[in-house]
Amino acid sequence: MQVSSASPARDLMLVDLDAFYVSVERARDPALVGRPVIVGGKPSERGVVACASYEARQHGARAGMPLFQAARCCPRDTVFLHGDHRAYVEASRQVMQILGRFTPRVEPLSLDEAYLDLTGCERQAYAKGAVPGWHSWMKTAETIQRTVFEETALPISIGVGPTRTVANVASALAKPRGILEVRANEAPAFLAALPLGYLPGAGPRMRDKLARFNLETIGDLAAVPEDVLASTFGAVGVTLSRRARGLDADLDRAPIGERAPKMRTISRATSFARDTIDPDVVGGMLSYLTQRATAALREERLLAKAVGVTLRYSDFQTVETRRRFREPTACVRQILERVDAIWPKRWDRRVKLRLVGVTLYDVFAEKEHQLDLFESPGFKAARLDERLDDAVDHIRKRHGFGALVRGRATALIERVPRTPHGFRLQTPACSR
DNA sequence: TCTGGGGTCCTAGGACCC
DNA sequence: TCTGGGGTCCTAGGACCC
C-alpha cells in the first residue's frame, strides 16, 4: 500500500492484553488457569459479562452478554467473579511502564491496549542481530510479549502495521498470544478479505446500513468512492472510507504519544437491583452518584462546566438533561443543587426507572482556570463550601467514601461486609 | 431473569446575535 | 413590511469502543 508522502510510513504496533480482567484474576489466583472464568458478576445478578476467558468463549459466552445467559451456556464449573477495578488499573500501569522501555512513544487507548510507535528504532534492533536489508518487527514483538509475561504473567497479542488501523486489525487476528505483522504493501489485500466487523468504527448499526448496499467486506467498502460515503454518512463515512483503505482517520493522525489531552467527562451511573418508582430512592441514588462523580473530579483537581442527569426507564427508553454552570465548578453543593433541579422535571412518565446516572461535562484542570472569585458576590459562601468539601475529601481519604455521605444519599448506604472495592450499595427496595 | 458502566465523537435543531 | 443568511452556543440523542 502506498502511504501518502505527507505521512511517511511508520512502524506501529497495537499491544492488546488477552482477556484482560480474566488474566489479572488468574495472575492473582493460579487455580483459575484452564477453567472457564467470567468477570462481571454472579449469574443471579442484573448485569452483563465484562470479560470471558477463552474457555468460556468456546461455550458461547461473550462480553456484553447478560450474566444469566452466560450461565446457561457455560458448564457448571464456570467461575463467576465481580472483578476488581483497582487491581486492573494497577496491572495496566505496570504493563504500560514496561512498554515505555521499548519506545517513548506509547499511547494507551484503554486499560488493556496501547499503540507503540517504533519508527526509528531500527538501529537498536539491527544491533541486536536482525537481518539487514529489511526489518521485521517479529523479534521486537516477541521480546515485548516475553517481557510482559515474565514480569506480570499477563498474555498479550501484538499487531504490527504502517498505520493505527492496520495494526489494530492485525492485533485482533493475532489473538490470543499471537503476533501478526502486516507490511505496507500487503495491507490492502490483507484488509480487503475481512468482514466489516473487523473495521474499527463499523458497529452493528452501521454494518446493517452498509449491508443494504451489499457491502459486506472491508474491500467492498474500500471500493466505494470516499465522497459517496461522505455524502451518505457524513463524517463517519469519511472515517470508515479512510480506514477501509488502511489509512488512519483524522482522529488518529496525531503522532503516537502526542495526541493533545482532551476535555473529559466523568460519569457515575447505576442500575437498581429492581426497577423503582420511589422518588426517595431515585433522589437518594442521584445524590450519592453526584457525590461520587464530584469526589472523582476533586481528586484530580478538575472543574466541570456542565452536569447531566440520565434516567433509564423500565422499557429502556433513556433520556438525559444537561445544564451548563455559569462558572466552572467542583463544588458539591452547587452540583447537587443542579442535579436536584433537573431530575424531578425530567422524570415525566409514570414508569419505573431501572438506571440513573450523573455526568460531569467539559472537565478541565483547575489550574487552567482564572479564578475571579474575589469579585463575585458569593465569595464568602464559596469559601465556606470549599472548606467543607476539603474536609470531607480528607475524611474520605482516611476512612473510605462511605464514611461520609451527604443528605438523602445516607439512607441508601447500607454497610454490608467490606469488600476490596469498599462499600456495596443496596437500595431499600432490595434490602431486607 | 433480557440488555453494565465508563468513556469518545458526531449531529441536528433552536436560541441568539449581527 | 417582509425576508435573508452566517456564526456560535447550548441541549439532546445516537453510534461506537472496551
Side-chain angles (χ1 to χ4, degrees):
Chain A
M1 185 191 66
Q2 291 303 312
V3 176
S4 80
S5 57
S7 55
R10 306 196 65 82
D11 299 298
L12 307 186
M13 270 184 193
L14 180 62
V15 173
D16 196 337
L17 288 132
D18 299 329
F20 179 48
Y21 296 169
V22 169
S23 297
V24 174
E25 297 298 341
R26 284 176 170 168
R28 300 201 295 185
D29 178 7
L32 296 173
V33 175
R35 295 180 66 179
V37 177
I38 284 181
V39 175
K42 303 291 175 187
S44 59
E45 292 170 350
R46 183 177 240 184
V48 299
V49 176
C51 181
S53 72
Y54 283 87
E55 294 81 358
R57 290 182 206 185
Q58 277 183 353
H59 294 95
R62 290 285 176 277
M65 176 183 272
L67 290 165
F68 74 90
Q69 212 173 317
R72 246 189 321 196
C73 67
C74 283
R76 212 164 302 165
D77 67 336
T78 302
V79 182
F80 285 81
L81 300 171
H82 274 112
D84 178 354
H85 191 72
R86 246 181 262 176
Y88 307 149
V89 170
E90 173 54 23
S92 175
R93 195 195 56 75
Q94 278 181 45
V95 172
M96 298 299 166
Q97 189 269 329
I98 294 169
L99 299 180
R101 292 184 218 154
F102 292 86
T103 167
R105 296 183 295 275
V106 177
E107 181 175 297
L109 272 190
S110 63
L111 283 185
D112 67 338
E113 302 171 295
Y115 284 117
L116 271 58
D117 187 345
L118 292 145
T119 312
C121 297
E122 289 92 332
R123 222 181 336 161
Q124 206 186 345
Y126 285 137
K128 286 179 183 159
V131 185
W134 62 271
H135 183 73
S136 166
W137 289 105
M138 230 27 163
K139 277 217 155 55
T140 309
E142 281 168 7
T143 307
I144 293 174
Q145 208 175 41
R146 185 164 12 93
T147 309
V148 169
F149 192 75
E150 281 171 3
E151 295 189 25
T152 66
L154 298 174
I156 61 175
S157 296
I158 298 181
V160 186
T163 60
R164 282 180 167 89
T165 302
V166 174
N168 192 316
V169 177
S171 82
L173 272 110
K175 283 181 164 299
R177 288 173 177 248
I179 297 169
L180 182 59
E181 180 189 7
V182 178
R183 275 176 260 163
N185 60 350
E186 307 164 335
F190 163 74
L191 291 175
L194 295 173
L196 276 170
Y198 281 95
L199 196 65
R205 305 285 168 139
M206 182 52 75
R207 293 205 300 276
D208 277 353
K209 289 183 195 167
L210 295 172
R212 279 183 236 140
F213 296 99
N214 268 328
L215 304 172
E216 303 283 353
T217 66
I218 299 181
D220 293 342
L221 192 61
V224 180
E226 180 176 322
D227 57 335
V228 173
L229 292 171
S231 59
T232 314
F233 299 113
V236 178
V238 176
T239 294
L240 289 180
S241 171
R242 290 188 57 86
R243 288 186 176 152
R245 288 174 285 139
L247 305 172
D248 283 332
D250 282 342
L251 287 175
D252 312 320
R253 286 167 97 179
I256 281 173
E258 290 176 26
R259 246 200 276 219
K262 300 251 162 55
M263 277 209 180
R264 297 196 304 131
T265 62
I266 292 175
S267 68
R268 293 293 181 269
T270 200
S271 292
F272 298 109
R274 279 194 207 147
D275 297 355
T276 182
I277 200 147
D278 183 343
D280 290 338
V281 174
V282 171
M285 184 60 85
L286 280 168
S287 168
Y288 172 79
L289 293 169
T290 303
Q291 292 175 66
R292 285 227 80 125
T294 308
L297 185 78
R298 299 178 57 80
E299 198 165 314
E300 295 187 56
R301 303 211 158 278
L302 303 169
L303 299 172
K305 292 187 182 174
V307 63
V309 175
T310 301
L311 307 176
R312 177 170 294 155
Y313 292 99
S314 294
D315 58 11
F316 231 71
Q317 190 206 9
T318 308
V319 294
E320 191 194 5
T321 294
R322 304 174 194 170
R323 289 281 175 268
R324 294 188 88 74
F325 298 110
R326 246 181 309 169
E327 285 290 317
T329 184
C331 167
V332 183
R333 186 183 53 81
Q334 262 186 41
I335 299 174
L336 271 173
E337 272 176 13
R338 198 57 75 92
V339 167
D340 275 333
I342 292 172
W343 70 265
K345 283 188 193 149
R346 195 66 215 256
W347 188 11
D348 51 9
R349 295 173 65 200
R350 305 273 314 157
V351 173
K352 288 184 181 178
L353 296 177
R354 62 170 292 134
L355 168 145
V356 293
V358 173
T359 306
L360 299 169
Y361 285 98
D362 291 353
V363 157
F364 66 101
E366 192 177 36
K367 59 174 184 274
E368 290 164 22
H369 186 57
Q370 291 295 331
L371 288 168
D372 50 1
L373 271 179
F374 290 98
E375 290 135 43
S376 79
F379 173 61
K380 251 189 160 168
R383 272 293 291 275
L384 272 175
D385 275 336
E386 210 174 299
R387 282 167 60 187
L388 175 57
D389 288 347
D390 286 345
V392 169
D393 288 346
H394 183 71
I395 290 166
R396 282 178 177 160
K397 210 168 201 172
R398 298 183 58 164
H399 304 290
F401 184 87
L404 204 44
V405 178
R406 277 199 198 200
R408 289 203 272 180
T410 50
L412 291 179
I413 308 294
E414 190 187 270
R415 291 179 188 203
V416 296
R418 252 182 197 279
T419 64
H421 10 281
F423 294 100
R424 295 271 304 288
L425 195 64
Q426 298 200 329
T427 65
C430 73
S431 60
R432 279 169 287 271

